[in-house]
Amino acid sequence: MGDNTQLRSDEEQPPPAQIPLLSSNLQNDAVGDLHQRQQEIRTSNRLDDSLEYLERFLTCLGFNQSSLLSFSLSWAAFTVVGVLVPVLALELSDCDGCEMYQIKNFEVGIVASQACLAAVSLFCISFNLRKYGIRRFLFVDRYGGQMVRFTDLYVKQIAASMRLLIWWLLPCFILKTVREVIRILYVQHDSRWISVAISVPLTLSWTYVSTISLSASILFHLLCNLQFIHFDDYAKLLERESDVMVFIEEHIRLRYHLSKISHRFRIFLLLQFLVVTVSQVVTLFQTTVYSGMINLSNGGDFAISAIVQVVGIILCLHAATRISHRAQGIASFACRWHALATCTSTDACLRHSNSLGSMEPLSQSNLLDITFSESDLDSMDYITMPTTTQLASYMSSYHRRQAFVMYLQANPGGITIFGWTVDRGLINTIFFLELTLVTFVLGQTVVFNSA
């Protein structure tokens, strides 16, 4: 009896060889989870470092106005460096017989246009940053746990935006410096050092206001590129998932954030367009009315300021148009997805929809079974037709996909300015408006003056 009990207890015990194997598997899983958490922490730290660097840069320019002190210091610095310093420098540099190298009316108009554009940029961007913070402003915290897989792309986009700013600002700064050196060499003052003391503040002031205006455009460009990442992921979602409700909920979320971006930047985009348009029209009017000689020295600032202003407009329009067409292209992608899912099912049988639709895959017994008899005519009587349940499932899947495609076609999304979608149609409208203004100014100045 005792031997039987001992034998039974030995049989109930697990084999000793399985215990180390189970322990090893648990240890490997724990190591894998630990490695994954460490990787998530590292990627999150990289994003935090990039956002902190970007926030420090914006703070140096005066965009961070989270407190009354920072608000006062920001606008005081802008008033002194962006407005008073260039005006005083132009007053001190005024001299008789300097029209060949410096025209005061031209310089004052350039300073006014640059200051207005920088003020618009500073006001609009600082308001949004003060209200939402850098993370909510850029929409980099809205995915919670899923944000880890986007972190590397976020970091790359932020770095690319900073390089883009330097790439456009540095050539303009070199042109501005060359122009000021020419003025130092040829404009006669009591002392050469007086010319240097006048040119250096003008260059620093121009660099400050140009960096502010370009940084605002770069921020909008960055924000649209970050949303482009999520639209690319949404296109891949159509290949991974099969639940139509998941597609609709994700598209509603993406479209909502595009509407938030449009709401936050519509005033900035509209004022930027108006300021740049007025500035270019005034520049064209001044240069065509002026009867003297215009050369690189006395008219070079026109070209430099026009480059900065037009580049800012192009960056904003390019980013808005790109994300708008990407959002509208989702409907075309969904139509192709719907067509492929529908065409995989033939009229004779209901086949598996190749994981593109939400219809459950049919088993082998649900396929069309053909029982061969002595003749082909007899075999036609043995075809098993699809059941009502299979037909209802297929039609339900079809109608869900069709409703999803119709939803996308009726809600294309994109960046809007008071209801106007920023796409190729709007860019064509802007082009013809600008062309009309140019021809009007030329008609009022060149044609009438020659007559």
Side-chain angles (χ1 to χ4, degrees), residues 346-367:
T346 63
D347 295 333
C349 65
L350 295 176
R351 303 177 62 185
H352 177 44
S353 61
N354 196 20
S355 75
L356 292 174
S358 61
M359 185 178 63
E360 293 294 331
L362 301 177
S363 62
Q364 186 66 28
S365 62
N366 292 331
L367 298 176

Side-chain angles (χ1 to χ4, degrees), residues 273-274 277-278 280-281 284 430-444:
F273 175 73
L274 291 177
T277 301
V278 172
Q280 299 305 311
V281 169
L284 182 62
I430 292 174
F431 172 76
F432 284 107
L433 286 176
E434 296 291 334
L435 184 61
T436 302
L437 289 174
V438 169
T439 54
F440 173 76
V441 173
L442 293 178
Q444 294 296 317

Side-chain angles (χ1 to χ4, degrees), residues 167-177 206 214 304 307-308:
W167 193 87
W168 280 111
L169 190 62
L170 186 59
C172 295
F173 175 77
I174 294 174
L175 291 176
K176 177 66 176 178
T177 304
W206 175 90
L214 275 180
I304 299 171
I307 290 173
V308 174

Side-chain angles (χ1 to χ4, degrees), residues 251-410:
H251 187 268
I252 290 174
R253 185 183 297 110
L254 292 174
R255 191 169 181 270
Y256 170 76
H257 284 91
L258 286 185
S259 66
K260 294 292 289 184
I261 294 172
S262 302
H263 180 76
R264 295 175 186 179
F265 280 90
R266 58 184 180 179
I267 299 296
F268 166 71
L269 295 175
L270 185 61
L271 291 180
Q272 184 190 39
F273 175 73
L274 291 177
V275 170
V276 172
T277 301
V278 172
S279 173
Q280 299 305 311
V281 169
V282 171
T283 298
L284 182 62
F285 185 81
Q286 287 180 332
T287 53
T288 52
V289 170
Y290 184 70
S291 58
M293 180 181 294
I294 299 178
N295 51 34
L296 180 62
S297 179
N298 59 18
D301 274 351
F302 277 138
I304 299 171
S305 64
I307 290 173
V308 174
Q309 293 174 3
V310 172
V311 164
I313 285 288
I314 291 176
L315 288 174
C316 292
L317 290 179
H318 174 263
T321 305
R322 186 167 178 256
I323 193 64
S324 295
H325 284 285
R326 186 58 173 171
Q328 295 169 0
I330 293 295
S332 176
F333 193 88
C335 287
R336 183 179 63 183
W337 165 78
H338 177 40
L340 290 174
T342 303
C343 292
T344 51
S345 298
T346 63
D347 295 333
C349 65
L350 295 176
R351 303 177 62 185
H352 177 44
S353 61
N354 196 20
S355 75
L356 292 174
S358 61
M359 185 178 63
E360 293 294 331
L362 301 177
S363 62
Q364 186 66 28
S365 62
N366 292 331
L367 298 176
L368 296 181
D369 297 328
I370 300 179
T371 304
F372 292 97
S373 63
E374 296 180 357
S375 65
D376 293 337
L377 184 62
D378 294 336
S379 66
M380 297 297 293
D381 297 333
Y382 292 91
I383 297 177
T384 304
M385 298 303 295
T387 63
T388 305
T389 304
Q390 295 170 0
L391 289 173
S393 176
Y394 169 73
M395 294 305 297
S396 176
S397 174
Y398 174 84
H399 287 306
R400 285 198 298 269
R401 295 195 306 269
Q402 182 67 22
F404 173 59
V405 170
M406 294 178 64
Y407 160 76
L408 290 179
Q409 292 175 346

